Amino acid sequence: QGNEYMELHGRQLVDIACDLYMAYLLLNQARHSQEKLVTASRYITEIVPRVKYNYELIISGDRTSLDCFETLAGPLPSES
């Protein structure tokens, strides 16, 4: 899709990476503690919809924000 598309969805990609890494850390701790297992399970249950949403947004290929930027955001102010 190109650099513009990656920049458009960079935030969603970082959010997915953070959610997955946090889940990994919690599961790693859960090997030693039943309480951490409960925490990890709850966290994963909460992040799954967000990760799915961000993933679907990234793979959608929707370039509307890029292709119709001026229509959506208005023209850029000219430098005087």
Side-chain angles (χ1 to χ4, degrees):
Q1 289 278 350
N3 287 341
E4 286 181 327
Y5 191 79
M6 287 299 294
E7 289 176 17
L8 177 65
H9 291 296
R11 173 61 190 248
Q12 287 84 17
L13 191 57
V14 169
D15 287 348
I16 290 171
C18 290
D19 285 339
L20 294 178
Y21 187 63
M22 181 64 77
Y24 164 79
L25 293 174
L26 289 169
L27 287 170
N28 192 39
Q29 292 177 353
R31 295 183 305 154
H32 309 291
S33 165
Q34 183 63 31
E35 291 82 12
K36 293 290 184 179
L37 180 59
V38 172
T39 302
S41 178
R42 172 127 173 89
Y43 179 75
I44 291 168
T45 299
E46 287 188 15
I47 68 163
V48 164
R50 181 172 60 229
V51 169
K52 283 182 179 178
Y53 172 79
N54 284 331
Y55 172 76
E56 292 296 328
L57 192 62
I58 292 168
I59 66 164
S60 71
D62 182 11
R63 295 182 51 90
T64 305
S65 296
L66 297 171
D67 298 338
C68 302
F69 180 80
E70 284 197 21
T71 302
L72 294 169
L76 295 173
S78 60
E79 294 182 30
S80 303

